[in-house]
Amino acid sequence: MTDRIESRVAAVRERISRAAARAGRDPASVTLLAVTKGQPIEAARAAFSAGVLDLGENRAAELAVRAPTLPEARWHMVGRLQTNKVRFLPSRLAAIHSVDRRSLVERLASRYQGVPAPVVYIEVNVAGEETKGGARWAEVETLLPSLIEAGFPVSGLMTVAPAVVDAESVRPFFRELAVLARTVGLDELSMGMSDDFEVAVEEGSTLVRIGRAIFGRDHPG
Ligand SMILES: *Cc1c(COP(=O)(O)O)cnc(C)c1O
């Protein structure tokens, strides 16, 4: 397992480099985050040993269990955050990628009172998909100042692109997110997953969240 993960990490890094080169970008400006959901902790360790220092989970309770078992890693919350699950978030957390509504801000502020606050990304639902989380364009402008006022370092914007057969068709969504980030003065873009990360990097992603391309296509969760 460890060897396979190591070679997949190398392959993903190579693809990031090539996509960055196509866009005239420095590959070092793109952080590779491994999403370990549904994987055994050994798989997370293997990715970390292969040099992936940023690891993510999509559930607060799972993150709370995992983060302390691999405290050397920088752990990220990438999944949709329910208000009543905020209390499960570990106190030592590198970043939250899924802040998408005002009601979360107060909960997060009390959760991280007196401890270093994680960096946050505002999740944006660029495609306007009903079933998905993420703020709408107009909400970002009110969410951003409320996060700043609550003391959170706001790093950038995040999106989960619609699942499509051809990655090329989500390019406009990534481009839109980049435009919105520039409009509100944010630098970081958490965008790109296994099926679309090269397009995301071409459009300016600074952090790609990769699960299946590192851990295999058939993970349970
Ligand atoms: C699972 C997940 C990913 C990784 O998805 P893959 O398609 O397996 O690369 C990225 N972001 C979020 C929010 C996820 O839940």
Side-chain angles (χ1 to χ4, degrees), residues 13-58:
R13 285 205 189 281
E14 178 60 33
R15 288 169 63 190
I16 290 172
S17 288
R18 273 189 259 137
R22 284 195 294 277
R25 302 184 55 208
D26 177 2
S29 65
V30 184
T31 297
L32 170 58
L33 180 152
V35 181
T36 60
K37 67 178 179 217
Q39 296 298 327
I41 189 69
E42 293 74 31
R45 262 182 223 291
F48 184 79
S49 303
V52 183
L53 309 183
D54 291 85
L55 304 177
E57 279 291 328
N58 69 336

Side-chain angles (χ1 to χ4, degrees), residues 30-31 43 51 92-94 101 112 120 122 124 130 136 139 141 157 159 172 177 181 183 187 205 207 210 212:
V30 184
T31 297
R92 254 192 68 214
L93 187 61
R101 57 196 188 279
Y112 289 98
V120 302
I122 297 174
V124 185
E130 293 294 336
R136 301 301 163 104
E139 292 165 330
E141 279 174 334
L157 303 181
T159 200
L177 194 73
T183 308
D187 295 329
S205 172
L207 183 149
I210 308 293
R212 291 164 302 145

Side-chain angles (χ1 to χ4, degrees), residues 17-173:
S17 288
R18 273 189 259 137
R22 284 195 294 277
R25 302 184 55 208
D26 177 2
S29 65
V30 184
T31 297
L32 170 58
L33 180 152
V35 181
T36 60
K37 67 178 179 217
Q39 296 298 327
I41 189 69
E42 293 74 31
R45 262 182 223 291
F48 184 79
S49 303
V52 183
L53 309 183
D54 291 85
L55 304 177
E57 279 291 328
N58 69 336
R59 291 188 187 178
E62 193 60 30
L63 196 54
V65 172
R66 293 208 154 178
T69 65
L70 190 47
E72 315 92 294
R74 292 167 41 86
W75 284 94
H76 298 241
M77 171 62 182
V78 300
R80 187 150 199 205
L81 193 48
Q82 286 169 265
T83 316
N84 64 351
K85 299 286 164 61
V86 165
R87 65 200 153 98
F88 293 128
L89 289 171
S91 18
R92 254 192 68 214
L93 187 61
I96 302 173
H97 293 243
S98 43
V99 180
D100 63 356
R101 57 196 188 279
R102 292 283 288 274
S103 57
L104 271 176
V105 178
E106 205 177 310
R107 294 289 180 108
L108 287 170
S110 63
R111 173 67 190 89
Y112 289 98
Q113 196 165 27
V115 292
V119 157
V120 302
Y121 291 79
I122 297 174
E123 181 176 354
V124 185
N125 189 335
V126 267
E129 291 175 286
E130 293 294 336
T131 55
K132 258 189 205 155
R136 301 301 163 104
W137 276 77
E139 292 165 330
V140 174
E141 279 174 334
T142 57
L143 203 45
L144 178 58
S146 76
L147 278 164
I148 292 168
E149 196 182 327
F152 287 95
V154 183
S155 179
L157 303 181
M158 176 274 214
T159 200
V160 177
V164 291
V165 178
D166 175 16
E168 203 47 55
S169 59
V170 293
R171 185 182 296 276
F173 299 124

